[in-house]
Amino acid sequence: MSDDFQNIRKKLLDITKKKVSESVSKDNMIINAISNVEELDKTINVLSGRLREWYALENPEVEDKIKDNEHLVSIVLDDSGEESIMGATFDEDDEKALKAMAVATSGLIQTKQFLLIYLEKTMKEFCPNVLGLAGVTIGARLLREAKSLRRMAILQSGTIQLLGAEKALFRHLRSGARSPKYGHIVNHPVVSNSKTVNRGKAARALADKLSMCARLDFFNGEYKADFYYDELKKKFN
Amino acid sequence: MSDDFQNIRKKLLDITKKKVSESVSKDNMIINAISNVEELDKTINVLSGRLREWYALENPEVEDKIKDNEHLVSIVLDDSGEESIMGATFDEDDEKALKAMAVATSGLIQTKQFLLIYLEKTMKEFCPNVLGLAGVTIGARLLREAKSLRRMAILQSGTIQLLGAEKALFRHLRSGARSPKYGHIVNHPVVSNSKTVNRGKAARALADKLSMCARLDFFNGEYKADFYYDELKKKFN
């Protein structure tokens, strides 16, 4: 009897250890991945801006027409290298150097897309409710600011509402500036699509449901994110 | 006779136009390329720093030993994916995401190297003397700050000495802070390898020769950079 008990105890301990280690590592994976996505985003902007400037020498007319940076990268990649009427002459080496920048930037765009797919897949297993209600980027950012799913599950919904607004919050505490109303969730459709007067209420309600999502996910509860989402949409959008 | 004159005039004009267009465009190529190299450098630092952080979860012992960021990128690329004793478990997806970041970063490192080779080749034709005395990165930066080889050729050597120190110079003019002694050329071996007391003199002499290099290059003069370089080394190093 005592042996049996010891056995069961050991097995439960092992399972717990495994769960803890898995959970710690998935939190960290998600946090690293979203920070990498953000860094890639910045980098893609800067490099495609530089590419735009360089390409404008050769093809000012086209550069002027394409406003979107990522679109411009693909234009440069496909460009046959004939200069336009107003453009400067690029020789073969210039052309290759410009293309090398376009290839590098396009590689970063692909890596970002790959990481977003990875994030979605990982979160679908690890925190399906947070993913379902918050979406990939807002969900991962909330997890990062909360430090882990475990901590997010025990945070009050008022705190979740402000995750991502830490700077503004401390400014408020220090200097009495206006207190922030919401952090990352300001970009969530439930908040951004609601009427201005309802935005505070919508943020509060969303944070409330997100807190429940984190708890459901941490304690392996059922999937209720879609249900919550519909509820919120009906109420605020 | 008048027809002949008109013909010659037209031909000369065409040659001049071509030369101007070529010269304008090479200046711009070099300026764009060096700015891209700098941007890539920053980006490689940031992304390999992020990669380091992520990789440390799986393999803290190795991460700790490799100080150089670019070296770490190649380690991650070659890593077989077995976690170390202290590391967290990475599943196949985690491994792929981490590798994707390493591939992207390594792509940027290669692009930077490619652009440096392109720069060297371009400058060897366009401004061999500036290249020979200043080196690729310092030479290209001086050209950028001077706006063009033509302008660099007419700048006083005292101005060349300060190219790249514009911020410190304006601070000096505005607030009476210490005036800067040198700009980009502070990183040149002739200056950085000279004794501290001689550094000002070395910078002045180097700027002087650089000014002559720019003139030689702009007016298609002979190649004298190596001769100047030896002279400066004998005097200051």
Side-chain angles (χ1 to χ4, degrees):
Chain A
M1 186 66 169
S2 164
D3 258 12
D4 269 1
F5 178 74
Q6 285 295 337
N7 261 338
I8 292 172
R9 188 171 174 279
K10 193 182 169 308
K11 260 184 202 157
L12 281 175
L13 249 174
D14 283 350
I15 293 172
T16 312
K17 270 186 192 166
K18 192 164 171 291
K19 278 215 97 164
V20 166
S21 129
E22 273 173 6
S23 131
V24 167
S25 103
K26 280 303 172 191
D27 282 316
N28 281 327
M29 295 298 145
I30 293 166
I31 291 169
N32 269 291
I34 187 66
S35 297
N36 275 300
V37 166
E38 288 174 354
E39 209 55 61
L40 287 169
D41 231 11
K42 272 191 244 164
T43 302
I44 291 163
N45 264 330
V46 174
L47 292 185
S48 55
R50 290 228 60 82
L51 188 73
R52 174 181 287 278
E53 200 174 305
W54 203 351
Y55 183 62
L57 297 176
E58 185 184 29
N59 214 324
E61 299 96 320
V62 173
E63 184 270 335
D64 196 45
K65 260 186 285 177
I66 313 292
K67 297 296 169 210
D68 178 63
N69 276 347
E70 301 196 6
H71 185 192
L72 189 83
V73 173
S74 67
I75 299 271
V76 177
L77 276 179
D78 295 340
D79 193 290
S80 65
E82 279 175 52
E83 68 267 22
S84 69
I85 304 164
M86 290 169 59
T89 313
F90 276 39
D91 67 25
E92 214 189 309
D93 286 328
D94 303 333
E95 206 59 61
K96 273 188 200 159
L98 182 72
K99 285 261 158 95
M101 278 302 295
V103 170
T105 313
S106 144
L108 295 181
I109 294 172
Q110 281 165 21
T111 307
K112 184 185 103 180
Q113 282 157 350
F114 183 81
L115 283 190
L116 282 173
I117 293 169
Y118 160 75
L119 260 178
E120 178 151 16
K121 194 175 165 192
T122 305
M123 291 170 75
K124 198 157 204 159
E125 275 201 19
F126 181 64
C127 50
N129 281 291
V130 170
L131 172 67
L133 183 52
V136 177
T137 47
I138 295 178
R141 282 177 186 151
L142 292 174
L143 269 184
R144 177 182 57 198
E145 264 61 82
K147 314 281 188 226
S148 69
L149 180 59
R150 197 188 68 81
R151 269 205 69 221
M152 186 170 164
I154 56 176
L155 285 180
Q156 293 189 321
S157 70
T159 309
I160 291 181
Q161 189 177 337
L162 290 178
L163 286 176
E166 286 76 7
K167 260 195 194 168
L169 186 62
F170 287 119
R171 195 165 50 235
H172 161 66
L173 293 173
R174 225 177 26 241
S175 69
R178 222 155 46 91
S179 80
K181 281 193 192 145
Y182 10 71
H184 291 310
I185 62 172
V186 71
N187 297 314
H188 192 285
V190 162
V191 178
S192 60
N193 291 344
S194 67
K195 283 185 201 137
T196 319
V197 285
N198 287 333
R199 217 159 265 182
K201 260 188 204 161
R204 214 150 46 237
L206 174 61
D208 208 47
K209 299 298 185 206
L210 281 170
S211 154
M212 289 166 81
C213 284
R215 281 162 212 197
L216 282 170
D217 287 339
F218 187 67
F219 296 108
N220 295 309
E222 54 187 328
Y223 183 73
K224 293 186 75 175
D226 291 349
F227 172 73
Y228 291 151
Y229 207 146
D230 285 342
E231 232 182 35
L232 290 165
K233 261 198 272 192
K234 262 180 218 149
K235 218 163 165 184
F236 296 103
N237 296 151
Chain B
M1 187 66 167
S2 164
D3 258 9
D4 271 358
F5 178 75
Q6 286 294 336
N7 260 337
I8 293 171
R9 187 171 175 279
K10 195 185 169 306
K11 262 185 201 157
L12 281 175
L13 248 175
D14 282 350
I15 294 172
T16 312
K17 271 188 192 166
K18 192 165 171 289
K19 278 214 98 163
V20 166
S21 127
E22 270 172 10
S23 131
V24 166
S25 104
K26 281 302 174 191
D27 281 316
N28 281 326
M29 294 300 144
I30 293 166
I31 292 169
N32 269 291
I34 186 66
S35 297
N36 274 301
V37 166
E38 289 175 353
E39 207 57 60
L40 285 170
D41 232 11
K42 271 191 244 163
T43 302
I44 291 163
N45 264 329
V46 174
L47 292 186
S48 54
R50 290 228 60 83
L51 188 71
R52 175 181 286 279
E53 199 176 306
W54 202 352
Y55 184 62
L57 297 176
E58 186 184 28
N59 215 324
E61 298 97 321
V62 173
E63 183 271 334
D64 196 42
K65 262 185 285 179
I66 313 292
K67 297 296 170 209
D68 178 63
N69 277 346
E70 299 195 7
H71 185 191
L72 190 82
V73 172
S74 68
I75 298 271
V76 177
L77 277 180
D78 294 340
D79 192 290
S80 64
E82 279 175 51
E83 68 267 22
S84 69
I85 305 164
M86 289 169 57
T89 313
F90 275 40
D91 67 26
E92 215 189 307
D93 286 328
D94 303 334
E95 206 61 60
K96 273 187 198 159
L98 182 72
K99 284 262 157 92
M101 277 303 295
V103 169
T105 313
S106 145
L108 295 180
I109 293 171
Q110 281 166 23
T111 307
K112 185 185 102 181
Q113 282 156 353
F114 183 81
L115 283 189
L116 283 172
I117 292 169
Y118 160 77
L119 260 177
E120 178 152 18
K121 194 175 166 192
T122 305
M123 291 170 74
K124 197 156 205 158
E125 278 203 16
F126 181 65
C127 50
N129 282 292
V130 171
L131 172 68
L133 183 53
V136 177
T137 47
I138 296 179
R141 282 176 187 153
L142 291 173
L143 270 184
R144 177 183 56 197
E145 263 62 81
K147 315 283 189 224
S148 70
L149 180 59
R150 199 189 66 81
R151 272 205 68 220
M152 186 169 164
I154 56 176
L155 285 180
Q156 294 190 319
S157 70
T159 308
I160 290 181
Q161 189 177 337
L162 290 178
L163 287 177
E166 286 76 6
K167 260 194 194 168
L169 186 62
F170 287 120
R171 195 166 49 232
H172 161 67
L173 293 173
R174 225 179 23 243
S175 68
R178 221 155 47 89
S179 80
K181 281 193 194 143
Y182 9 70
H184 291 310
I185 61 170
V186 71
N187 296 315
H188 193 285
V190 163
V191 179
S192 60
N193 291 343
S194 67
K195 285 186 200 134
T196 319
V197 284
N198 288 332
R199 215 157 271 179
K201 262 188 204 160
R204 215 152 44 240
L206 175 62
D208 208 46
K209 298 299 184 207
L210 281 170
S211 154
M212 292 166 78
C213 285
R215 280 161 213 197
L216 284 169
D217 288 339
F218 187 66
F219 296 109
N220 296 310
E222 53 186 330
Y223 183 73
K224 295 186 75 175
D226 291 349
F227 171 72
Y228 292 151
Y229 207 145
D230 285 341
E231 233 183 33
L232 290 166
K233 260 198 273 194
K234 261 181 220 148
K235 216 162 168 185
F236 296 103
N237 295 154

